[in-house]
Amino acid sequence: MRLKQLGEFALIDKIQKATSTGQGVYLGIGDDAAWTRAKGNLLLTSDLLIDKVHFDRRWASFYGLGYKTLAVNLSDVAAMGGTPEYLLLSLGLPVDFKVKDIEEFYRGIGQLASQTGVSLVGGDTCASKCFFTSAFLVGHAPYGPVKRSGARVGDDLYVTGTLGDSFLGLNLLKKRKRIGTSKEVAYLTSRHLFPQARLKAGSILAKEKLAKAMIDISDGLVQDLGHLCKSSGTGAEIWQEAIPLSPPYRRLAGVNRAHYSLAGGEDYELLFSVRARDHKRLKKIQNRLGVPITHIGKCLPARHGITVTTSQGTSLSLSQMGYDHFKGLPLRRAPLNSRSIKA
């Protein structure tokens, strides 16, 4: 059945029946507004995902798109040390979409929502020429929000997980190159299609008052570090050799290894600053974070800007690294081809 046969209100009924109600929801989908319990230090975030801009349905399943729609918003809450609670989701839908595809989309949302304690409490639907999602997530910061502006000169810089996987995975999906083992390719593509929001790590870092400034890496390490430094009034030095890379990435990234990890984006790992004097405290709790962390640099006076230092002591050029929606394509990203892949 197509959406134009089902109709908007029958679709809403299907969504309502498929959506569970979590703690703190007095009234969810079905009224003019949701009614929920409010807590202190509310966190509010939203994201648009647009077909052919943020995703491509040639390789992204509807289930995966639902999952990722929630995941990217969860990552924003994680970056402030928060706990997610309520989701409002609006969709623009072509009328020739199959109803079962939209049900799969909401199944993806529901799977991740149940894992993270999020309740889908409302939203909107409308007919559209292209498929897009607009998610609005509400959470709270029980230990106070971690802002981007708390870094100071002399702070150490850390990241969770590994970098570059998502962008390399996207290139593999685009080119459909038969390289690497199936296990390696599956790992890299899943890092792009099913990102993991680091909620546990963000929450613990906030609770222990260790992360003084934090941001999630959505547009690339260099670009997002720039946002953190600008808000904090600092510069920074990153040590290229310290950037954590996964084994599949190391084997398949080839000559683009440094570039993808610095500018690739969509890894949704956390970048955070810690006072140098808190190094031992961080080491004691790192096993509780649920993800490895790596010391990759330090904060410098603002006049130094942002530099990436190689093992030879030279600095890499950082002009136009990262993604800017209003300047078009990802900037300075080399195409994946046979010469840039190590077989």
Side-chain angles (χ1 to χ4, degrees), residues 33 80 146:
M80 299 195 76
V146 182

Side-chain angles (χ1 to χ4, degrees), residues 15 20 40 60 83 96 104 143 166 169 197 202 207 213 222 245 253 264 300 310:
I15 295 168
S20 59
T83 300
D96 63 346
E104 276 295 289
Y143 314 111
S166 177
K207 181 179 180 180
V222 170
L245 308 174
L300 303 175
T310 70

Side-chain angles (χ1 to χ4, degrees), residues 48-77:
L48 276 172
L49 294 180
I50 303 172
D51 195 4
K52 300 295 190 298
V53 177
H54 300 94
F55 59 87
D56 193 314
R57 288 187 289 116
R58 287 177 296 174
W59 52 74
S61 68
F62 279 93
Y63 174 89
L65 289 173
Y67 185 103
K68 191 168 184 176
T69 294
L70 178 53
V72 300
N73 284 272
L74 291 173
S75 188
D76 287 334
V77 171

Side-chain angles (χ1 to χ4, degrees), residues 240-266:
Q240 181 191 348
E241 294 301 314
I243 295 174
L245 308 174
S246 69
Y249 181 91
R250 287 181 182 275
R251 205 176 86 80
L252 301 181
V255 297
N256 291 317
R257 178 188 294 185
H259 185 78
Y260 290 165
S261 62
L262 290 168
E266 287 205 64

Side-chain angles (χ1 to χ4, degrees), residues 260-273:
Y260 290 165
S261 62
L262 290 168
E266 287 205 64
D267 284 308
Y268 296 103
E269 298 292 351
L270 298 179
L271 167 66
F272 58 98
S273 71

Side-chain angles (χ1 to χ4, degrees), residues 147-152 155 211-214 228 231-232 273 275:
K147 300 182 290 183
R148 299 178 180 182
S149 58
R152 298 293 178 264
D155 282 4
K212 299 304 180 182
M214 190 152 58
L228 187 148
S231 294
S232 295
S273 71
R275 301 288 189 257

